[in-house]
């Protein structure tokens, strides 16, 4: 993995999918997934000048047809979402809507489908050559299953993009999910498809929703070994998070040899986030983005779709984390010592109040121990890593201890 002080990456054609209409994905004033986090992120991207870089194109995501959603979702489920969208008082328990986590509201079909539009258009743009990197930070709805909403997620944009890539002739897609919560919906959709490897690095399901994502969830049939889960100890910090990523993701990705990488960059692993117990910094999240960009360059000629996901420290960790993601994808990484632009801080105070961050990093000493130095059976992180390596690595001819 690249050092934390990695220099400027190659500036490849990059599409960022954004429109203010994305703010209509809104479960209400008291719901933790506030659309203000998207507004704050794009404002920061603009204040940093990332949207006007010569190689960056900002594209409006459209609401896709139902046939696009039905690449991964059942027709009955899409019809249920439409029904609730037209009449939020309707009760369709099997849809997963109407819960405290994922309440229904008027227009929920259109706003949820527009999130899909960014990732779907990203896949189209990669295949057409319009873009090499695509960023849809409004997406990353990884809990949505084929026939059910879950965990604030209605339609699974990552899965739709992956299925479109497969249907268009791509042979292998790698999906990497570093949200604090397990990427259970995406995993379930491709659990028996050997063309898709899903890797999820998350807080253990013993302590956190959705209660899944253990090392023995490895896929089924011909797809055995293509579902990879690292269930991290509660309160894992940068050094643990980056060690686990380094020990699992690059070696297995190199054996899988993807043609496209799709990644989910939920910011709820941050130490200020109240919906997980993790202790990762913005600096650590940026480091993962750098590593994903490098893997894409090494393995699949740069082809990379990066999405957002969870993140509930809406006006601090999320906008900085995803602005870093855009900067890395665009080949213009923002140094963690960069002052946060004053115009953005003024906007945030005027619109949302509070005390906006002053620099783009968390002033941490970012370090981790490479897996090459050896396995420590007394370390709970190493035990989690080894559990995953033992389950998955032999399927790829890799030695869990030494490779």
């Amino acid at each position: 993995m690249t050092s934390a002080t990695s220099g400027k990456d190659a500036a490849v054609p990059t599409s960022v999918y954004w429109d203010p209409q994305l703010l209509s994905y809104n479960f209400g004033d008291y719901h933790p997934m506030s659309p203000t986090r998207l507004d704050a992120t794009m404002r920061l991207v603009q204040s940093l000048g990332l949207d006007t870089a010569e190689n960056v194109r900002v594209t409006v995501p459209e609401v896709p047809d139902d046939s696009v959603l039905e690449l991964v979702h059942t027709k009955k489920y899409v019809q249920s979402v439409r029904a609730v969208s037209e009449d939020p008082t309707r009760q369709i328990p099997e849809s997963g809507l109407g819960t405290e986590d994922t309440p229904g509201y008027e227009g929920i079909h259109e706003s949820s489908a527009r999130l899909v539009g960014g990732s779907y258009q990203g896949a189209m743009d990669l295949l057409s050559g319009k873009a090499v990197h695509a960023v849809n930070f409004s997406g990353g709805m990884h809990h949505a299953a084929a026939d059910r909403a879950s965990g604030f997620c209605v339609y699974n944009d990552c899965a739709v993009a992956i299925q479109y890539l497969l249907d268009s002739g791509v042979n292998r897609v790698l999906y990497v999910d570093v949200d604090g919560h397990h990427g259970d919906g995406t995993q379930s959709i491709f659990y028996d498809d050997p063309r898709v490897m899903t890797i999820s690095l998350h807080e253990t399901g013993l302590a956190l929703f959705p209660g899944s994502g253990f090392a023995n969830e490895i896929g089924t049939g011909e797809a055995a070994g293509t579902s990879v889960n690292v269930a991290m100890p509660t309160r894992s910090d940068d050094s643990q998070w980056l060690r686990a990523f380094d020990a699992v993701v690059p070696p297995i990705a190199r054996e899988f040899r993807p043609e496209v990488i799709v990644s989910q960059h939920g910011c709820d692993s941050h130490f200020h986030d109240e919906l997980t117990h993790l202790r990762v910094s913005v600096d650590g999240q940026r480091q993962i983005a750098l590593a994903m960009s490098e893997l894409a360059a090494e393995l699949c000629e740069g082809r990379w779709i990066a999405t957002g996901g969870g993140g509930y420290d809406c006006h601090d960790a999320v906008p900085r984390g995803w602005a870093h993601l855009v900067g890395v994808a665009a080949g213009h990484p923002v140094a963690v010592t960069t002052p946060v632009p004053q115009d953005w801080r003024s906007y945030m105070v005027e619109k949302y109040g509070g005390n906006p961050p002053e620099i783009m990093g968390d002033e941490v000493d970012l370090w981790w121990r490479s897996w090459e130095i050896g396995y420590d059976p007394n370390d709970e992180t190493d035990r989690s890593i080894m559990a995953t390596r033992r389950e998955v690595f032999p399927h790829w001819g890799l030695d869990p201890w030494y490779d």
Side-chain angles (χ1 to χ4, degrees), residues 15-340:
S15 287
V16 176
Y17 300 88
W18 172 254
D19 187 86
Q21 291 186 84
L22 291 162
L23 302 177
S24 64
Y25 190 77
N26 187 353
F27 293 112
D29 291 343
Y30 300 102
H31 195 279
M33 185 178 266
S34 170
T36 62
R37 67 197 191 125
L38 304 181
D39 173 55
T41 296
M42 193 59 193
R43 290 275 181 169
L44 183 53
V45 168
Q46 292 167 335
S47 290
L48 291 165
L50 297 170
D51 61 318
T52 56
E54 186 176 342
N55 63 307
V56 175
R57 180 176 60 125
V58 177
T59 300
V60 174
E62 305 293 341
V63 175
D65 294 338
D66 287 4
S67 61
V68 172
L69 304 174
E70 290 166 11
L71 291 174
V72 299
H73 294 291
T74 65
K75 183 181 290 289
K76 181 180 179 182
Y77 173 61
V78 174
Q79 291 172 343
S80 296
V81 177
R82 278 191 170 277
V84 172
S85 189
E86 294 168 5
D87 179 7
T89 65
R90 288 198 59 173
Q91 300 294 317
I92 311 177
E94 65 271 20
S95 71
L97 294 172
T99 64
E100 184 177 359
D101 275 357
T102 317
Y105 59 85
E106 185 176 353
I108 192 172
H109 167 77
E110 290 78 9
S111 61
S112 302
R114 193 180 298 279
L115 298 186
V116 174
S119 298
Y120 171 65
Q121 289 166 227
M124 288 195 293
D125 287 347
L126 256 65
L127 293 180
S128 71
K130 289 182 181 178
V132 177
H133 291 170
V135 184
N136 179 26
F137 58 77
S138 303
M141 302 293 105
H142 64 162
H143 293 309
D147 59 355
R148 187 175 179 84
S150 177
F152 316 159
C153 304
V154 179
Y155 293 134
N156 193 317
D157 60 290
C158 299
V160 168
I162 291 168
Q163 189 62 52
Y164 176 78
L165 291 167
L166 297 174
D167 291 349
S168 300
V170 174
N171 294 309
R172 291 177 304 281
V173 180
L174 172 65
Y175 171 77
V176 180
D177 188 320
V178 292
D179 192 287
H181 300 82
H182 177 224
D184 58 330
T186 313
Q187 173 181 291
S188 68
I189 289 169
F190 299 109
Y191 203 63
D192 60 354
D193 192 333
R195 299 174 297 172
V196 181
M197 174 175 280
T198 62
I199 306 178
S200 182
L201 182 71
H202 49 266
E203 183 177 343
T204 174
L206 293 174
L208 196 68
F209 175 89
S212 57
F214 298 101
N216 63 353
E217 298 170 31
I218 65 168
T220 186
E222 293 184 1
T226 61
S227 180
V228 184
N229 288 287
V230 189
M232 293 295 292
T234 299
R235 300 186 67 80
S236 293
D237 60 15
D238 286 329
S239 63
Q240 295 166 277
W241 199 251
L242 294 170
R243 177 167 168 81
F245 182 96
D246 191 48
V248 173
V249 180
I252 202 75
R254 290 179 181 124
E255 292 300 319
F256 182 64
R257 296 180 296 110
E259 296 175 10
V260 181
I261 293 175
V262 177
S263 57
Q264 197 269 19
H265 296 260
C267 290
D268 48 8
S269 60
H270 192 266
F271 53 73
H272 282 162
D273 199 289
E274 296 185 353
L275 265 66
T276 77
H277 310 96
L278 298 167
R279 308 294 296 168
V280 179
S281 68
V282 164
D283 309 49
Q285 293 170 347
R286 173 184 179 274
Q287 187 62 38
I288 295 289
L290 285 166
M292 292 309 310
S293 181
E294 290 188 345
L295 272 178
E298 175 189 345
L299 301 176
C300 43
E301 299 179 331
R303 289 184 292 269
W304 175 34
I305 301 172
T307 70
Y312 311 100
D313 184 26
C314 297
H315 304 148
D316 186 339
V318 173
R320 287 187 298 150
W322 289 345
H324 278 303
L325 179 63
V326 172
V328 168
H332 306 290
V334 179
V336 293
T337 54
T338 302
V340 171

